[in-house]
Amino acid sequence: MPEQTLRPRRSTWDVDRDFVLPDLDAVIRGGQLEQDTADTVTAFYDTDDAALWVHGIEFSRRDGDQIPGWQVRVGDTEVQWALTDGPPQEAVGLLTGATGGQRLHHVGTVHTVRHRHRVTDPDSRQVLAQVAEDDTTASSGDRLLAWRQINVEVDDTAAVRSRRLGRLLRTAGARPARYPGPLARLRGDDARPPADPLTSYLDAQIAAIVAGDIGLRRGLDPIHDTRVALRRLRSTLRVFAPVFTPDALALQDDLSWFAGLLGEVRDCQVQRSRFDAALDELPDELVLGPVRARVSTHLQAIELPARAQVSREMDAPRYLALLAELTRWRRAAPLRSTVTGKALARRAGKAERTAARRLADAVTGSGHDELLHRARKAAKRARYGAEVTADKRTIKRFKQIQSVLGDHQDTVVAREQLRRMAITAGTTDGENGFAFGLLYAREQQIADNRVRAAGRLR
């Protein structure tokens, strides 16, 4: 599946029928102007309840002069397939989480005649800018529309060039586009109403979870980002519980469940990197036996089944129901009533006080590992609560605490894995547990240092 990353400096402008494109040489002097025309028909697909639209995903079939084929667009990334009569099964499978397994069908067609003006560097032939005049007609059911638009793509190093071109277009009568794309215009959805900070935060986490779902189905590895978004969402439900509906709060177990599945994979990634770095620091004469091979074999025996389980569960009813519920949240946040900034600050403040108390208990009490683990989770909730209220000072403080306690928790996991590997190596011909003992002592030293560092953060 080839991937195309779109140009970062891109703008769209609405213009009237009598609009005249300004002279591009005023923006890019010395460039070579090339012109051509492309005729393209794009058919968009979605579910009956517009699940893809809710998540900002476009699935379409493109015919004509501009790279015909099927494409899924998520944010600034396009994934493309060759042109076929029906939707490619690979594409449909990629969208399973976002659609909840619902059937995809045609929802609208956009026909665009694009007059392209490309300015290239005469020496390198690099495209410095492309300005396209689009004459577009669109239909969806009985709805018919026609409009004219200017689309601009400028080389990502040319911020000044982009601003100059924008000023020229404004002077000539162009207006920043009201709609983010042709499908939005066809639907009549120009923008979402302003959202409160809590709803915006929820929306951002759900978007990250859905993007992670698509990435995982593509064979990529967005394990960490997806897991963090799940944890942020669960922490938000817990910190601001009184403002959510009971049905929303009931989703905490499912969020924790899937984050836990991803966590088994992520822990192996973290530990593999950790052990590799530690072995690099040991003198070769102290690394006795096939230590790296033992580490790799041990972690693979955990990670591969964990990944397989994640893949299985992503097509299972529980997970698809979770994503379906999150899709409903993007349509309407599951809040009891209007949320005030004062109410959010009060709940975030409570989470901060709880985290501070748990940290104090952990560094002064016994049973450090478990107490510090609880303090770390409380610090994360405090940090995520502060992200909702945009309290930068609190975010910074608890991010630091979370980092220190996270390092300590990594040593807890590492020590247990090293103990198991030492036992296996010690009973296997050609191996011994010497290096694992050294690594264990190193982890214990790091753990003690982290406890002292946590004490200074009280």
Side-chain angles (χ1 to χ4, degrees):
M1 284 185 296
E3 173 184 319
Q4 175 185 348
T5 302
L6 305 182
R7 294 173 182 267
R9 298 199 177 275
R10 184 172 184 163
S11 59
T12 307
W13 305 78
D14 289 333
V15 296
D16 298 327
R17 284 289 170 188
D18 57 355
F19 175 84
V20 177
L21 192 68
D23 182 10
L24 298 181
D25 189 55
V27 179
I28 308 172
R29 300 189 183 282
Q32 182 173 327
L33 184 63
E34 301 174 354
Q35 302 182 54
D36 64 7
T37 299
D39 192 323
T40 305
V41 176
T42 304
F44 290 93
Y45 289 72
D46 207 337
T47 62
D48 286 336
D49 61 356
L52 296 183
W53 174 256
V54 169
H55 291 300
I57 300 169
E58 290 184 0
F59 179 41
S60 61
R61 169 187 165 133
R62 186 164 55 197
D63 292 271
D65 300 327
Q66 281 194 295
I67 313 178
W70 293 87
Q71 64 178 10
V72 170
R73 178 180 291 184
V74 184
D76 285 343
T77 297
E78 289 180 359
V79 185
Q80 302 175 351
W81 294 264
L83 192 61
T84 55
D85 290 339
Q89 286 306 305
E90 190 176 6
V92 174
L94 195 68
L95 298 171
T96 297
T99 64
Q102 298 181 76
R103 191 178 71 86
L104 291 159
H105 62 88
H106 175 241
V107 295
T109 299
V110 176
H111 179 198
T112 300
V113 178
R114 169 166 287 189
H115 306 284
R116 294 181 293 197
H117 308 265
R118 287 196 186 94
V119 181
T120 61
D121 184 290
D123 297 323
S124 67
R125 303 300 299 162
Q126 177 187 1
V127 177
L128 303 176
Q130 175 178 285
V131 179
E133 300 176 85
D134 289 351
D135 290 301
T136 302
T137 57
S139 63
S140 178
D142 295 333
R143 183 175 172 81
L144 299 173
L145 292 176
W147 67 89
R148 191 174 179 219
Q149 205 166 56
I150 304 296
N151 285 278
V152 176
E153 291 182 1
V154 178
D155 175 77
D156 59 6
T157 63
V160 173
R161 190 179 297 145
S162 180
R163 290 194 294 270
R164 286 177 183 169
L165 185 51
R167 287 195 295 269
L168 272 180
L169 291 173
R170 286 179 185 273
T171 301
R175 307 170 300 280
R178 176 181 176 184
Y179 297 93
L183 187 58
R185 186 186 291 265
L186 190 56
R187 290 176 53 91
D189 294 335
D190 54 348
R192 295 185 180 185
D196 61 87
L198 181 56
T199 301
S200 296
Y201 193 76
L202 293 174
D203 201 59
Q205 306 320 311
I206 296 170
I209 292 167
V210 173
D213 173 272
I214 292 175
L216 287 167
R217 293 179 190 278
R218 289 183 61 197
L220 303 180
D221 199 37
I223 295 286
H224 176 63
D225 290 345
T226 309
R227 184 184 179 212
V228 169
L230 288 160
R231 285 176 152 183
R232 277 191 165 107
L233 198 56
R234 184 171 182 267
S235 289
T236 303
L237 291 174
R238 184 164 178 178
V239 172
F240 303 103
V243 306
F244 287 101
T245 64
D247 287 346
L249 295 176
L251 209 64
Q252 292 183 75
D253 287 344
D254 287 340
L255 293 169
S256 179
W257 160 73
F258 193 63
L261 295 182
L262 297 180
E264 292 184 31
V265 179
R266 178 60 181 168
D267 285 347
C268 290
Q269 295 174 332
V270 171
Q271 296 305 321
R272 180 177 291 107
S273 176
R274 190 179 193 90
F275 295 149
D276 283 345
L279 288 169
D280 287 342
E281 294 179 4
L282 283 180
D284 290 344
E285 61 270 20
L286 297 183
V287 182
L288 305 181
V291 177
R292 292 184 189 273
R294 169 59 57 192
V295 169
S296 178
T297 300
H298 177 84
L299 293 178
Q300 278 190 350
I302 300 172
E303 182 178 356
L304 294 181
R307 284 188 178 276
Q309 185 178 6
V310 169
S311 296
R312 286 194 301 271
E313 295 296 348
M314 286 178 65
D315 289 322
R318 182 178 184 181
Y319 175 78
L320 294 178
L322 168 61
L323 285 199
E325 182 63 18
L326 296 182
T327 300
R328 287 188 282 272
W329 288 18
R330 294 199 82 176
R331 291 191 177 94
L335 306 177
R336 291 178 181 270
S337 60
T338 302
V339 181
T340 65
K342 183 179 292 187
L344 293 178
R346 185 167 57 250
R347 295 296 304 179
K350 182 177 180 181
E352 294 163 24
R353 292 189 294 275
T354 298
R357 185 175 65 253
R358 288 194 177 178
L359 177 61
D361 291 343
V363 298
T364 59
S366 59
H368 279 164
D369 287 354
E370 182 57 33
L371 289 175
L372 286 167
H373 185 46
R374 294 181 71 236
R376 180 181 67 90
K377 292 190 289 186
K380 282 198 296 186
R381 287 193 292 271
R383 173 190 170 186
Y384 298 155
E387 287 177 351
V388 173
T389 60
D391 184 344
K392 293 182 180 179
R393 180 177 296 181
T394 300
I395 293 171
K396 182 178 180 179
R397 179 193 175 197
F398 283 100
K399 184 177 181 180
Q400 185 179 12
I401 293 172
Q402 179 187 342
S403 177
V404 170
L405 297 181
D407 285 346
H408 180 273
Q409 180 60 23
D410 286 343
T411 71
V412 174
V413 177
R415 280 177 281 158
E416 177 57 23
Q417 298 294 353
L418 288 167
R419 187 186 69 82
R420 293 180 183 179
M421 285 187 279
I423 292 171
T424 303
T427 57
T428 302
D429 290 341
E431 298 188 43
N432 66 77
F434 179 77
F436 297 105
L438 293 179
L439 295 178
Y440 189 100
R442 176 182 181 273
E443 293 293 342
Q444 185 61 63
Q445 185 179 39
I446 293 172
D448 294 341
N449 289 337
R450 295 297 84 190
V451 171
R452 287 192 290 271
R456 293 192 291 270
L457 295 175
R458 290 173 51 190

